[in-house]
Amino acid sequence: MAYRATYIDRDPVDYFIERDERGASRLDVADVVLRANQDPKEIFARMIRFATNSAWSHCALVLLLSNIKRGYNSAFLIESMTRGVRLADWRKTIVPYKQYTVGIERLSLDWYAETPYEQAMHSPRDPEDAHGALYLRQVRGIALDQVNSLYDHDAILELTLLYIQRIAKRHLPMVPLVAWLARLAATYFRHRGASKSLPGDLEQFICGGLIQYSFFEALRIRILKGLEEDEDRDAALHNLKHMDRVIFCGDPDGVIANYIRQVQLGKIDLADPVPESVLDLLKAATPADFNNSSNLQWVYVILRGKIWEIKEASDDYEPQSTDEGEVLDLLKPEHRGRLIELSTQPMNSGTHTNEGRYDDDQVSC
C-alpha cells in the first residue's frame, strides 16, 4: 500500500487536543500510537529498533479523548512499561519534539459486523460514534483492566525471552536452538511465577503485547456474547471468521488460524481460557509488528514537531519533497540494515519544544 503525506502547519500538542470543525477529536479511541525515542542515552530503545529492523521502539493505545466540556483538557494513553501498565498524558508522550518521533495508526473496521444492538446505539449527534465504536471502547476497557498489573523480575524475563524467541525464529532460522532455548527458559519463568497470582483477569505484557491482547480479547468477548443471542449470532460468526483482522503480529506458524478453525469446529470452546500458544503470540507483539501490519491504517506522523497527515495514494506516487520522503520512509514495513536516528536532523521550532521533558523512570519496550 502506498501513502502520501501532507504537512499541517499546527503545533502537535494543540492540534490533537482541540476539536475539529465538526466537534470531533482528531484522535480516536483505541488508536495505536507508535513512538521512537531518539535520546542517544536510551540504549534499550535503540536495541529494540535494531533487533526488529524498525524505526519504532514503543507503542501505546489512545484511552481517553480530550473534551473540555467534560473537563478533559488533554488526551490520555495507556501503555505498558517494565514496571507495569500506566496512563500517560498526550503532551508528555510527544514532547520534547526532538526526542520523540510519533506515528498514529487506526484499525480498519470495514470487515466488522455490528449486532442489531450496536446499530441501534449509534447517535447522529456524536461525530465520534462511527462503525464499530462499541468494539473499540471495549478494546479500551480491556487495556484499562490491566492498569493494576505490576511486573516482577520473572515476568520481565519471561516476556523478554518470548521476544528473543520471535526474533531468533525470524532472523536466525538456521540456528533453531536459539529459539528453542528461549522458549524453554520463558516457560520456566512462567511456571516459577505462576504462584504469584494476579487479581482478577490481569495478564502481564510489555508494550505491544498489551495492545495486541486488548484488540484480540475484546473481539473474543463480543463474539462470545453474540453467540448467546439468536439475533446476534450471524454477526458473531462473521466476526469469528475474520478474527485474524485484529492480529497485528506475524504468525508464521498459523497459531491464530488454527485457533479460529478449532473454535469453528467445536474442538475448542471460545469461553475456555485462551491457549498458551495464542497468549504467547500476543504477548510478544513488538512496535514493528504494528508498523508492518496491513490491518492498521496510518493517519498521522509527528516528526521533529511537524504534523503530517497520511492518506492512501496510488502505487506510483512519489514524495513531493525531501521532508515528505523522510516521513514516508518511516511507514515502510521494515528498515533493514540501518538504525534510524532522526535526532541528528535539525529541530523544528515549536511552542512546546523545550518544555515538559518526560524523563521516564521506567524502560519502555
Side-chain angles (χ1 to χ4, degrees), residues 11-85:
D11 178 79
V13 170
D14 297 335
Y15 184 76
F16 288 101
I17 290 178
E18 295 172 357
R19 299 255 160 169
D20 65 16
E21 60 278 0
R22 299 181 300 114
S25 171
R26 295 181 175 93
L27 295 172
D28 279 356
V29 168
D31 277 355
V32 176
V33 178
L34 299 180
R35 192 175 72 175
N37 189 337
Q38 306 299 342
D39 187 342
K41 297 179 181 179
E42 291 291 339
I43 303 300
F44 199 65
R46 293 163 61 94
M47 289 175 60
I48 290 171
R49 295 201 298 273
F50 179 79
T52 59
N53 296 313
S54 174
W56 309 102
S57 55
H58 184 58
C59 51
L61 192 75
V62 174
L63 180 74
L64 187 66
L65 306 177
S66 63
N67 191 323
I68 295 177
K69 292 181 179 179
R70 297 180 180 178
Y72 310 137
N73 296 322
S74 183
F76 293 89
L77 314 180
I78 186 166
E79 60 183 358
S80 184
M81 314 291 279
T82 50
R83 293 186 187 176
V85 180

Side-chain angles (χ1 to χ4, degrees), residues 7-307:
Y7 172 60
I8 298 175
D9 189 13
R10 290 287 306 278
D11 178 79
V13 170
D14 297 335
Y15 184 76
F16 288 101
I17 290 178
E18 295 172 357
R19 299 255 160 169
D20 65 16
E21 60 278 0
R22 299 181 300 114
S25 171
R26 295 181 175 93
L27 295 172
D28 279 356
V29 168
D31 277 355
V32 176
V33 178
L34 299 180
R35 192 175 72 175
N37 189 337
Q38 306 299 342
D39 187 342
K41 297 179 181 179
E42 291 291 339
I43 303 300
F44 199 65
R46 293 163 61 94
M47 289 175 60
I48 290 171
R49 295 201 298 273
F50 179 79
T52 59
N53 296 313
S54 174
W56 309 102
S57 55
H58 184 58
C59 51
L61 192 75
V62 174
L63 180 74
L64 187 66
L65 306 177
S66 63
N67 191 323
I68 295 177
K69 292 181 179 179
R70 297 180 180 178
Y72 310 137
N73 296 322
S74 183
F76 293 89
L77 314 180
I78 186 166
E79 60 183 358
S80 184
M81 314 291 279
T82 50
R83 293 186 187 176
V85 180
R86 70 178 187 183
L87 303 185
D89 187 293
W90 170 250
R91 293 179 177 89
K92 295 180 178 179
T93 299
I94 66 173
V95 175
Y97 296 145
K98 183 178 180 180
Q99 182 174 346
Y100 296 126
T101 300
V102 176
I104 302 169
E105 293 183 290
R106 189 165 294 159
L107 177 66
S108 173
L109 284 171
D110 54 350
W111 55 271
Y112 181 77
E114 291 188 320
T115 64
Y117 173 79
E118 288 176 288
Q119 295 172 14
M121 288 299 293
H122 285 301
S123 170
R125 296 183 178 181
D126 185 354
E128 294 160 2
D129 188 11
H131 178 77
L134 289 183
Y135 163 63
L136 294 177
R137 290 167 187 166
Q138 187 152 10
V139 172
R140 171 180 65 183
I142 295 295
L144 192 59
D145 284 344
Q146 308 301 317
V147 165
N148 290 327
S149 181
L150 300 177
Y151 305 156
D152 58 19
H153 292 298
D154 285 354
I156 298 302
L157 284 170
E158 177 198 339
L159 295 169
T160 301
L161 288 163
L162 288 174
Y163 274 11
I164 293 173
Q165 180 195 11
R166 277 201 61 199
I167 293 169
K169 288 178 70 174
R170 181 164 189 175
H171 300 294
L172 298 173
M174 303 305 293
V175 192
L177 181 62
V178 176
W180 182 80
L181 288 173
R183 173 72 180 182
L184 188 66
T187 302
Y188 166 75
F189 284 109
R190 177 191 298 121
H191 291 164
R192 195 172 84 163
S195 60
K196 306 170 186 177
S197 59
L198 295 169
D201 296 323
L202 294 181
E203 290 287 348
Q204 293 180 316
F205 308 98
I206 295 181
C207 190
L210 169 71
I211 300 172
Q212 177 61 94
Y213 173 79
S214 298
F215 277 99
F216 170 85
E217 182 65 3
L219 186 59
R220 187 183 73 89
I221 291 173
R222 297 196 77 79
I223 294 171
L224 189 60
K225 291 184 176 180
L227 292 174
E228 296 173 354
E229 302 291 339
D230 289 341
E231 65 175 0
D232 298 340
R233 188 173 181 82
D234 287 345
L237 290 173
H238 173 89
N239 291 334
L240 173 62
K241 181 180 178 181
H242 293 87
M243 203 173 196
D244 62 310
R245 297 293 294 272
V246 300
I247 302 300
F248 314 119
C249 51
D251 184 14
D253 297 327
V255 172
I256 298 299
N258 182 63
Y259 176 70
I260 295 172
R261 185 164 53 251
Q262 295 297 310
V263 172
Q264 291 172 326
L265 294 174
K267 295 182 178 180
I268 292 180
D269 189 335
L270 197 63
D272 288 343
V274 178
E276 279 191 1
S277 59
V278 174
L279 281 178
D280 285 350
L281 178 73
L282 305 179
K283 286 181 178 182
T286 68
D289 289 323
F290 296 93
N291 176 77
N292 298 345
S293 177
S294 60
N295 292 336
L296 294 167
Q297 295 179 330
W298 282 99
V299 284
Y300 293 102
V301 166
I302 303 171
L303 177 61
R304 294 190 295 277
K306 293 182 178 180
I307 305 170

Side-chain angles (χ1 to χ4, degrees), residues 24 230 344-345:
D230 289 341
T344 59
Q345 301 293 332

